[in-house]
Amino acid sequence: MTPVQSPPASPPTAIRPRVVARTGLYAVLAANVAVVTVFFTQAGFASNALIVLGRLAGLYGALFMAFQLVLVARLPWLDRRIGMDRLTSWHRWVGFGLLWTLMSHAVFITFGYAEGANLGPVDELVELAETTEGVLRAIVALFLIMLIGAVSARYARRRLAYETWHFIHLYTYVAVVLAFTHQVGVGTTFTSSSAATAYWWALWGVALGSVFLGRVVLPLRRNLRHRLRVSAVVPEADNVVSVYMTGRDLDKLPARAGQFFLWRFMTKDRWWQANPFSLSAAPDGKSLRLTAKAAGDGSAALRHIPVGTRVFAEGPYGAFTALHRTRPESVLIAGGVGVTPIRALLEEIEGHAVVIYRVARDQDAVLYGELRDLAAAKGAELHLVSGPAVPDKLAPAELARLVPDIADRDVFLCGPPPMMNAVLRSLRELGVPKSQTHFERFSLAG
């Protein structure tokens, strides 16, 4: 096997990059909440308490909306330290906070003005929509946010195709524009002082600029520079295939073992479809490789992609990398096709490693030959654990037998959700700290 030139491994650090990034995000959000509150108090209070509460809820809703955009902007600095799965989870919860603050804004404002005008809430809402600039746009924006919130609930999300959910989610950007124009038109805090006006323009500029940078500029720039093409398609098993890609200046592509891309293969029937696949080999500056199991129409069709096909790749994404090591020695646990980022990590990671590969049958062990050769070359231990799910082959007692010092190692875990959940329970029982447990679930936001 030809050795690859891995990037210098990050030494275990006392302050985890994820902690730094998370603390920074919390601090930024808290500082902006404070600034918004100060501007709100400086603008003066209305005589009606409901209107006061409504205006404050609207301001916090606008702030949450801007924060939402930053969370899904796919900014490399945040993504590599926190991970797209955790950013997506935060995006979801902030989204529900946004929904409730905007609904509170609408209800308090409507009832507050209705009380002052001696009208019913519905009549007052109609009156505001007809006579006040921007209110109708705000109603449409709220309706869109409510629709997006409904389809983002777990029950609905599991029953929608990703493409359908993503298309609906794109209306968030329409809601952002409508909400902002409403704020410009009637927001008393927005126009209360030149400092407040400058603040809100800067806030929205940073939020929308982050999205444009992370979702448009960086992908276009990287693809224009690297010009990826399929160089080989290699079946690994009956239902598993590897796709090799080459391009220009790949040594300048900031990809690391364990990360993934959103891949678009530019054929007439696939150019519109993006699929997340991890790198199954550490980037060597010359080529990239993904390995996928035929779990759906998109991955099944990879076997038939012609050599020479142009590839549009968004990424690299993910925090499942050696950047987050906290200990000099590691345990790499893979289940099924989750072996792909684990195999790549084994190439890059330094220090003694124990690799545990969980499969139902020995013949399901994809890339096992490569793992065996890599483990031998790096002095790592390799354990192939096969058999039915019951009894649990990775129960605490079995993990402790395979790796007696597991609590003193970093654990990198990738596999099907049921297997990952079972292993995470075992790690907790064995006393492995959360700071030493590294995993990532594919989860994409609009």
Side-chain angles (χ1 to χ4, degrees):
M1 178 176 295
T2 303
V4 299
Q5 297 295 322
S6 299
S10 300
T13 56
I15 302 178
R16 299 171 63 205
R18 182 174 292 122
V19 172
V20 173
R22 186 175 59 215
T23 303
L25 273 180
Y26 291 163
V28 168
L29 180 59
N32 280 276
V33 168
V35 170
V36 167
T37 305
V38 168
F39 283 136
F40 171 74
T41 57
Q42 289 178 345
F45 299 106
S47 58
N48 188 303
L50 290 176
I51 296 176
V52 172
L53 291 174
R55 287 176 178 174
L56 187 60
L59 292 174
Y60 289 154
L63 180 58
F64 286 160
M65 188 176 287
F67 192 61
Q68 282 278 71
L69 295 177
V70 174
L71 290 177
V72 297
R74 298 178 186 170
L75 299 175
W77 191 88
L78 281 178
D79 180 76
R80 291 171 192 164
R81 286 158 178 80
I82 296 178
M84 189 183 290
D85 61 336
R86 288 175 177 82
L87 289 171
T88 299
S89 177
W90 296 354
H91 166 80
R92 181 173 180 271
W93 287 111
V94 172
F96 287 122
L98 168 65
L99 175 62
W100 286 110
T101 53
L102 292 186
M103 289 179 63
S104 299
H105 169 68
V107 170
F108 287 143
I109 286 290
T110 301
F111 276 80
Y113 278 108
E115 182 180 298
N118 294 319
L119 292 174
V122 175
D123 292 335
E124 179 60 29
L125 184 62
V126 172
E127 177 73 15
L128 288 172
E130 290 178 346
T131 62
T132 306
E133 180 186 0
V135 171
L136 182 60
R137 293 194 293 271
I139 294 172
V140 175
L142 178 59
F143 172 78
L144 292 175
I145 294 295
M146 292 174 65
L147 173 65
I148 294 162
V151 301
S152 296
R154 292 187 188 278
Y155 179 84
R157 179 69 184 88
R158 284 195 290 261
R159 285 160 177 78
L160 286 175
Y162 171 75
E163 288 77 14
T164 303
W165 173 84
H166 183 261
F167 179 77
I168 296 173
H169 219 70
L170 290 177
Y171 280 100
T172 301
Y173 300 108
V174 177
V176 167
V177 173
L178 293 174
F180 179 62
T181 57
H182 165 69
Q183 186 181 21
V184 172
V186 300
T188 55
T189 304
F190 188 90
T191 58
S192 63
S193 68
S194 57
T197 303
Y199 166 80
W200 283 108
W201 276 108
L203 179 73
W204 285 109
V206 169
L208 292 169
S210 296
V211 173
F212 186 68
L213 175 65
R215 304 290 288 266
V216 179
V217 175
L218 281 178
L220 286 175
R221 180 177 177 272
R222 285 175 177 167
N223 281 277
L224 286 172
R225 178 177 187 178
H226 300 300
R227 298 184 180 274
L228 292 174
R229 289 186 181 273
V230 174
S231 57
V233 178
V234 179
E236 304 286 358
D238 291 341
N239 60 345
V240 178
V241 63
S242 289
V243 180
Y244 293 77
M245 287 149 286
T246 56
R248 302 188 312 183
D249 299 328
L250 292 187
D251 57 318
K252 303 297 192 300
L253 182 66
R256 295 191 66 159
Q259 291 189 299
F260 69 95
F261 288 79
L262 300 179
W263 306 93
R264 294 179 188 269
F265 296 94
M266 309 303 285
T267 60
K268 63 180 180 180
D269 56 339
R270 289 185 55 89
W271 65 268
W272 54 271
Q273 190 174 19
N275 294 105
F277 295 118
S278 296
L279 296 172
S280 59
D284 61 0
K286 299 177 182 177
S287 65
L288 301 174
R289 185 183 75 174
L290 67 86
T291 302
K293 183 178 181 180
D297 294 339
S299 51
L302 291 177
R303 187 180 296 265
H304 308 293
I305 292 176
V307 171
T309 297
R310 285 289 304 274
V311 182
F312 189 93
E314 298 177 50
Y317 298 127
F320 191 64
T321 70
L323 174 68
H324 298 278
R325 288 170 56 230
T326 64
R327 294 292 185 271
E329 298 182 334
S330 308
V331 181
L332 310 178
I333 305 176
V337 79
V339 72
T340 55
I342 293 295
R343 184 254 182 245
L345 272 172
L346 182 58
E347 282 188 90
E348 180 182 313
I349 209 159
E350 294 185 353
H352 182 264
V354 178
V355 183
I356 302 173
Y357 190 5
R358 179 72 171 96
V359 291
R361 305 172 302 167
D362 287 358
Q363 54 266 41
D364 295 330
V366 181
L367 305 179
Y368 182 70
E370 295 184 17
L371 271 181
R372 185 182 57 230
D373 293 343
L374 269 173
K378 302 198 68 167
E381 297 179 35
L382 175 61
H383 301 281
L384 181 64
V385 180
S386 60
V390 180
D392 186 1
K393 299 287 187 176
L394 295 180
E398 182 62 14
L399 277 180
R401 186 187 68 81
L402 294 173
V403 195
D405 61 344
I406 192 169
D408 297 321
R409 294 172 177 262
D410 279 308
V411 180
F412 291 85
L413 169 66
C414 187
M419 172 259 189
M420 290 179 63
N421 293 335
V423 172
L424 289 172
R425 287 194 296 269
S426 295
L427 295 175
R428 286 194 295 269
E429 289 188 36
L430 291 171
V432 179
K434 285 186 177 180
S435 61
Q436 294 169 214
T437 305
H438 314 285
F439 64 94
E440 198 164 36
R441 308 179 195 272
F442 285 134
S443 183
L444 304 178

